[in-house]
Amino acid sequence: MKTVITIPLILFCFPALLYANALQERLSSYQSMGAGPFSAAQGEILWQQKIRDEKSGKNRTCNDCHGDDLRKPGRHVKTGKTIEPLSVSVNPDRLRDGKKIEKWFKRNCKWTWGRACTAQEKGDILQYLQQQ
């Protein structure tokens, strides 16, 4: 009888464990680079920070594509492509894969800020995103 109860419990908890492991692995990696402690409040400031694009002269923020409510889909301002919600509370697949986290930081930091994010910035932003 214990096996019958244990298997569904493990299957129910497994996605949360994957999310926690990928996120913790990323944060540990950033700490090994000298970053930390991480701050969700600082992550929110970074997320909403306006950066002037040299080519267009317009300001960009992460919210431009992801929207103000990270529980809802966003839309890429250049391509119009729908972006799935970033909030793990409505999209459990988010922040589950460390390689994807790095891929999107590389792409989005360069596009939004015109440069790579630092390990500290990545950690702060991940702390902020966990709370959404």
Side-chain angles (χ1 to χ4, degrees):
M1 187 70 162
K2 288 182 181 180
T3 305
V4 174
I5 294 171
T6 305
I7 291 173
L9 182 61
I10 290 171
L11 293 175
F12 177 76
C13 294
F14 191 67
L17 293 173
L18 286 176
Y19 160 74
N21 288 339
L23 203 53
Q24 187 55 49
E25 184 265 336
R26 290 288 81 222
L27 294 172
S28 295
S29 173
Y30 304 147
Q31 287 173 329
S32 74
M33 297 176 195
F38 301 116
S39 162
Q42 183 60 34
E44 182 176 15
I45 290 168
L46 292 168
W47 188 263
Q48 296 175 0
Q49 181 179 3
K50 293 180 181 180
I51 306 294
R52 188 167 186 83
D53 178 43
E54 297 294 324
K55 292 180 184 177
S56 70
K58 296 179 181 179
N59 288 331
R60 289 185 179 166
T61 70
C62 300
N63 283 342
D64 290 347
C65 292
H66 293 285
D68 294 330
D69 185 350
L70 299 180
R71 295 170 296 173
K72 296 180 180 177
R75 184 165 305 281
H76 193 281
V77 295
K78 189 173 181 180
T79 66
K81 181 180 175 184
T82 299
I83 300 171
E84 293 300 318
L86 267 176
S87 174
V88 177
S89 66
V90 297
N91 186 357
D93 289 334
R94 287 299 195 169
L95 307 177
R96 193 178 279 186
D97 182 329
K99 287 183 182 180
K100 283 186 181 180
I101 291 170
E102 284 306 307
K103 169 188 171 182
W104 289 110
F105 267 134
K106 181 178 180 180
R107 186 175 292 177
N108 291 338
C109 290
K110 184 176 179 183
W111 190 84
T112 305
W113 293 355
R115 63 172 177 80
C117 290
T118 66
Q120 183 67 48
E121 290 166 337
K122 291 176 187 180
D124 289 340
I125 289 170
L126 284 177
Q127 290 286 19
Y128 168 68
L129 292 176
Q130 284 184 87
Q131 296 180 356
Q132 301 310 303

